[in-house]
Amino acid sequence: DAKTTQPTSMDCAEGRAANLPCNHSTISGNEYVYWYRQIHSQGPQYIIHGLKNNETNEMASLIITEDRKSSTLILPHATLRDTAVYYCIVPRHTGTASKLTFGTGTRLQVTL
Amino acid sequence: SAVISQKPSRDICQRGTSLTIQCQVDSQVTMMFWYRQQPGQSLTLIATANQGSEATYESGFVIDKFPISRPNLTFSTLTVSNMSPEDSSIYLCSAGAGGGEAFFGQGTRLTVV
């Protein structure tokens, strides 16, 4: 299983871009990187995923390095509602399903 | 996307008793999972709820303690049996098509006294 490493916590000023890094140096060539977040007292929420190309959706952008050993989740204009724990996950494939292993994640605090 | 409803949202239970948590999805899904989130910790996968067959448990979790049912493609239950204070956690249901994109319920906050 590909292990991911993230900083424990980060701060970001409201309105600025939040850049959350993730290291996944043991990722295999066909494994995707997924990002989830968990706002306090809520279930996790899917954000975005990618394989090798950069991806963007209405929530965030995902930048994956060319060697695929790391990625960065970008929240372009962070708001207070983006305060959450962000998880970078490389799902574990078992033949019939992809299983998510949640690490400790990055606790993002967005401040005024 | 899928909307997942869990019942109850919270409960306080006596040690030695059992609690059954229900998870209802608003559409048919291939995969359903149960997680535990202990206080201040990350999520840990308990098991995969398989429709029409026994659940697949992760290391450290057993059927006698956490029996799971999945009678159809939209519903599953998790029972926490013979509870002790160490079982006080948030229990979350998730569902998805089988890939890495999954949807989660709001969780059931269980306190065992």
Side-chain angles (χ1 to χ4, degrees):
Chain A
D1 300 346
K3 178 179 170 57
T4 62
T5 304
Q6 299 177 252
T8 303
S9 63
M10 296 182 66
D11 292 329
C12 179
E14 190 176 35
R16 305 299 292 269
N19 297 282
L20 293 96
C22 177
N23 180 286
H24 34 78
S25 58
T26 61
I27 195 170
S28 299
N30 61 348
E31 291 181 317
Y32 285 74
V33 179
Y34 281 75
W35 284 81
Y36 283 77
R37 74 180 182 184
Q38 187 174 26
I39 295 171
H40 183 62
S41 296
Q42 296 184 20
Q45 176 189 23
Y46 164 81
I47 301 173
I48 198 168
H49 72 280
L51 180 64
K52 62 174 81 172
N53 297 321
N54 299 337
E55 302 288 345
T56 295
N57 62 21
E58 64 280 2
M59 289 183 68
S61 294
L62 176 60
I63 308 298
I64 303 174
T65 58
E66 193 169 339
D67 64 8
R68 303 211 325 120
K69 292 185 177 182
S70 65
S71 60
T72 301
L73 179 75
I74 301 172
L75 309 178
H77 305 288
T79 71
L80 296 177
R81 287 178 297 206
D82 293 320
T83 293
V85 179
Y86 288 77
Y87 297 98
C88 167
I89 301 172
V90 177
R92 174 166 49 106
H93 300 289
T94 64
T96 57
S98 296
K99 297 184 179 182
L100 304 178
T101 299
F102 286 80
T104 54
T106 296
R107 184 173 299 275
L108 176 68
Q109 179 69 52
V110 181
T111 57
L112 290 172
Chain B
S1 66
V3 177
I4 299 175
S5 302
Q6 279 186 239
K7 290 183 188 179
S9 58
R10 59 178 61 229
D11 208 341
I12 300 173
C13 299
Q14 296 291 321
R15 66 178 69 199
T17 63
S18 298
L19 176 71
T20 296
I21 302 167
Q22 298 180 2
C23 177
Q24 179 73 55
V25 189
D26 69 343
S27 59
Q28 292 188 346
V29 289
T30 306
M31 308 302 300
M32 293 182 74
F33 303 92
W34 286 97
Y35 290 81
R36 179 176 74 181
Q37 187 168 28
Q38 295 177 299
Q41 304 294 313
S42 185
L43 285 77
T44 300
L45 180 63
I46 297 172
T48 305
N50 299 310
Q51 194 263 328
S53 64
E54 193 171 285
T56 305
Y57 290 85
E58 298 297 308
S59 176
F61 297 96
V62 295
I63 188 171
D64 290 346
K65 177 65 176 177
F66 298 101
I68 289 170
S69 77
R70 189 176 173 193
N72 56 51
L73 292 176
T74 65
F75 186 78
S76 177
T77 67
L78 167 76
T79 298
V80 186
S81 302
N82 188 25
M83 289 183 286
S84 67
E86 292 71 35
D87 295 318
S88 297
S89 293
I90 299 173
Y91 293 86
L92 296 115
C93 170
S94 82
E101 183 176 351
F103 303 93
F104 286 78
Q106 292 299 296
T108 296
R109 185 178 295 270
L110 170 63
T111 302
V112 183
V113 297

